Amino acid sequence: MKALHSRIRKNISKVLHRIFSTLFPVNLNPEPIKADTIKKILVVRINYRIGNILFTTPLLNALEKQFPHAQIDMMVGAPFTKTLIEGMPQIDTVYAFPRKLLKQPLKVLSLKKELKNNGYDLLVTPNLNSTSDTLFTFLVSATYKVGFYAKDVFSPLTHAIAPTAEVKHEALKPLVLMSAFSDVPLHSYAPYLDIRLTDQEKTKAGAEIAPNTIGIFRDARGDKKLDNTWWQALLDALNTLAPTLHIIDILDPNNTTPLNNTIQTLSEKNLRTLAAKIANLDAFVCADTGPMHLASSSKTPTIALFKTTSPVYYGTLGEKDLSLVLHDKKSQEIAKEILTHLGIITT
């Protein structure tokens, strides 16, 4: 029944997109936007997952580089993700648009009025397939609106940019939008996640992290998750190859059950504080999940274990990171690859 409902909604959405894209066509050859005209920017990414919000950080850092004196605000989905972005030095205000707000039209209108009064020169919407982002882009006033173009998809934009097939990773695709402002090559922008933690944040959070410590995070969505038996086998292999290594089991705040009764645990609800704690680790090991991207954005060497998804699109991007596709590899093989990558053992 749910599948049928989903198909009906998807088909209705396609029809509406075709109608509106015909009624409101976008200009595919607009004039470049002059940097000196941009004083206030709003980035719209109404999403409720940690990873998708972190995927906007390369764009946010690129916008700061292009418009160093502009005020940058952001619209996210889940309120708990606000802390990730609020601490970035170039960000002024982060607004949250939780799902429950849809049932409160007066609050939606109040938020729309506040955003209109902000007088944005530029709105950037980096996701092509989000109905929420498209609707919000349509409702919010801005002199320029930049996003991606797709045939038969309604895009309420002043500057529609065609996606580039060569850019495959979901966190790097938004950087293609920077072509609306200049012809600076894509590789001139930092190609990794970075929430710009300060030394003060990292020092304050590091008190409980001992040297020579690796963190693991065992949770993940659906079939991306690895069971506890697999994790225990990996820890046994790591301890055999590197007996002095210390391991912390980082727990989901909603699941406080440790892997075993001998391992140290860490739990933290505030995502930016968690990132600062992870930044004090020597490495972080997990499956394809939001905390993987959180660790990478904290500049901690992150080893991502891919069971079903592809690292080409969702892998970690840091210079010291490693994405491993598991296939049928034994835990001993994975442990050796991890420790070799970290320089703890040599082959």
Side-chain angles (χ1 to χ4, degrees):
M1 192 67 178
K2 289 184 179 179
L4 177 60
H5 179 270
S6 178
R7 288 197 300 270
I8 292 173
R9 185 175 60 182
K10 188 174 181 179
N11 289 334
I12 291 173
S13 178
K14 283 183 178 180
V15 171
L16 291 175
H17 268 290
R18 287 174 183 169
I19 293 172
F20 279 98
S21 63
T22 301
L23 293 174
F24 304 100
V26 296
N27 181 7
L28 290 174
N29 297 291
E31 291 293 322
I33 298 172
K34 295 180 180 179
D36 59 2
T37 66
I38 304 301
K39 306 300 180 186
K40 290 187 176 182
I41 302 170
L42 177 66
V43 177
V44 177
R45 187 68 176 99
I46 303 175
N47 193 268
Y48 305 90
R49 294 189 180 182
I50 297 171
N52 288 334
I53 297 302
L54 290 170
F55 280 179
T56 65
T57 60
L59 174 65
L60 293 172
N61 290 322
L63 287 170
E64 181 192 24
K65 182 177 181 179
Q66 182 68 30
F67 306 104
H69 304 296
Q71 171 187 317
I72 303 177
D73 296 344
M74 186 168 178
M75 175 65 67
V76 298
F80 71 86
T81 63
K82 286 180 61 177
T83 58
L84 292 173
I85 305 300
E86 283 174 330
M88 297 180 70
Q90 75 273 42
I91 300 299
D92 189 82
T93 303
V94 181
Y95 299 93
F97 195 89
R99 289 186 178 98
K100 64 181 180 180
L101 200 61
L102 293 171
K103 300 177 182 179
Q104 304 175 59
L106 292 179
K107 288 189 177 182
V108 173
L109 291 174
S110 176
L111 178 59
K112 180 182 182 299
K113 182 179 179 180
E114 180 180 351
L115 295 173
K116 181 179 180 180
N117 290 339
N118 287 346
Y120 291 112
D121 304 298
L122 172 65
L123 183 152
V124 183
T125 175
N127 186 267
L128 176 64
N129 300 312
S130 171
T131 301
S132 298
D133 290 1
T134 300
L135 178 60
F136 213 84
T137 299
F138 180 74
L139 293 175
V140 175
S141 300
T143 305
Y144 303 106
K145 297 182 180 182
V146 175
F148 285 111
Y149 167 80
K151 185 180 179 181
D152 294 330
V153 174
F154 171 54
S155 302
L157 308 170
T158 63
H159 289 64
I161 308 300
T164 302
E166 290 76 19
V167 181
K168 300 184 183 301
H169 197 286
E170 292 297 326
L172 301 182
K173 287 179 180 179
L175 290 178
V176 176
L177 297 177
M178 297 302 296
S179 63
F181 316 117
S182 71
D183 56 1
V184 173
L186 194 64
H187 61 73
S188 67
Y189 301 109
Y192 46 77
L193 310 184
D194 187 0
I195 57 172
R196 311 276 290 278
L197 289 169
T198 65
D199 290 338
Q200 183 179 8
E201 285 179 294
K202 289 183 282 188
T203 300
K204 183 179 179 180
E208 59 190 292
I209 309 297
N212 197 32
T213 298
I214 288 179
I216 64 168
F217 183 79
R218 293 173 287 120
D219 205 6
R221 288 178 178 272
D223 56 4
K224 294 186 290 185
K225 186 173 182 177
L226 298 160
D227 63 38
N228 285 342
T229 302
W230 190 94
W231 280 107
Q232 187 61 59
L234 177 67
L235 262 61
D236 291 342
L238 289 171
N239 288 327
T240 298
L241 292 169
T244 62
L245 193 65
H246 184 63
I247 295 174
I248 290 182
D249 189 7
I250 299 175
L251 304 177
D252 184 322
N254 299 314
N255 177 16
T256 56
T257 305
L259 180 61
N260 59 57
N261 58 10
T262 64
I263 194 169
Q264 181 182 348
T265 62
L266 184 156
S267 182
E268 173 61 55
K269 289 186 176 181
N270 183 292
L271 292 176
R272 193 168 181 91
T273 302
L274 177 59
K277 290 182 178 182
I278 291 173
N280 287 275
L281 297 171
D282 291 274
F284 184 87
V285 183
C286 64
D288 175 17
T289 182
M292 172 189 83
H293 302 298
L294 184 67
S296 184
S297 71
S298 75
K299 300 305 184 65
T300 295
T302 302
I303 290 82
L305 308 173
F306 283 81
K307 181 182 175 185
T308 57
T309 48
S310 170
V312 173
Y313 302 99
Y314 305 105
T316 106
L317 295 169
E319 294 178 345
K320 298 179 181 179
D321 294 351
L322 176 67
S323 292
L324 291 176
V325 179
L326 296 182
H327 292 311
D328 296 321
K329 292 181 180 178
K330 303 293 184 182
S331 55
Q332 292 82 0
E333 295 177 77
I334 299 297
K336 188 174 182 180
E337 287 189 67
I338 290 171
L339 296 173
T340 301
H341 174 75
L342 297 174
I344 295 174
I345 64 172
T346 57
T347 55

